[in-house]
Amino acid sequence: VYVYPDKDTQSTLEDVIKHSPYSLTGALYCNDQEFADAAAQTLRGTAGNFYVNDKSTGSVVGQQPFGGARLSGTNDKAGGPHYMLKWASPQAVKQTFVPLHAVGYPYMEK
């Protein structure tokens, strides 16, 4: 936990971004929702998992995928829904069983 004077808020956020080669987990605790939104946006690349006003330990597999970034890992989010995409090539396939008789859309008729 690092407590800083209010006047140093912006420079402290910038220090978090610049000074750590690791970014496994981060947390922000505050009472001001506007500040929480702005700070979370500023710090978005500083941790693999980022918590706002919540404990930063004990990720629940399947609910809070876990993985770090920078020197803390590749941010693969083990246990998450996108983990398998690391070894796959996603493809969307759409098949229609009813023959198309027209390809126009109503807005094209005007």
Side-chain angles (χ1 to χ4, degrees):
V1 174
Y2 178 70
V3 180
Y4 53 87
D6 286 347
K7 67 179 179 56
D8 295 339
T9 300
Q10 191 59 42
S11 64
T12 300
L13 292 176
E14 291 167 10
D15 287 345
V16 169
I17 294 167
K18 292 187 291 191
H19 293 299
S20 178
Y22 303 100
S23 58
L24 188 58
T25 300
L28 168 70
Y29 299 93
C30 65
N31 292 323
D32 180 342
Q33 187 61 50
E34 187 175 324
F35 173 77
D37 294 341
Q41 180 66 24
T42 298
L43 297 172
R44 69 186 174 279
T46 61
N49 283 25
F50 193 79
Y51 300 88
V52 178
N53 292 329
D54 197 5
K55 64 186 183 86
S56 61
T57 59
S59 292
V60 179
V61 174
Q63 293 179 16
Q64 296 168 295
F66 191 76
R70 298 185 188 168
L71 293 179
S72 294
T74 59
N75 210 18
D76 294 330
K77 300 295 188 208
H82 306 294
Y83 188 60
M84 292 301 294
L85 292 176
K86 180 177 180 176
W87 296 283
S89 216
Q91 178 186 40
V93 176
K94 179 180 184 248
Q95 182 175 357
T96 301
F97 294 98
V98 179
L100 294 175
H101 298 288
V103 292
Y105 291 94
Y107 74 87
M108 294 177 161
E109 297 172 7
K110 294 180 182 179

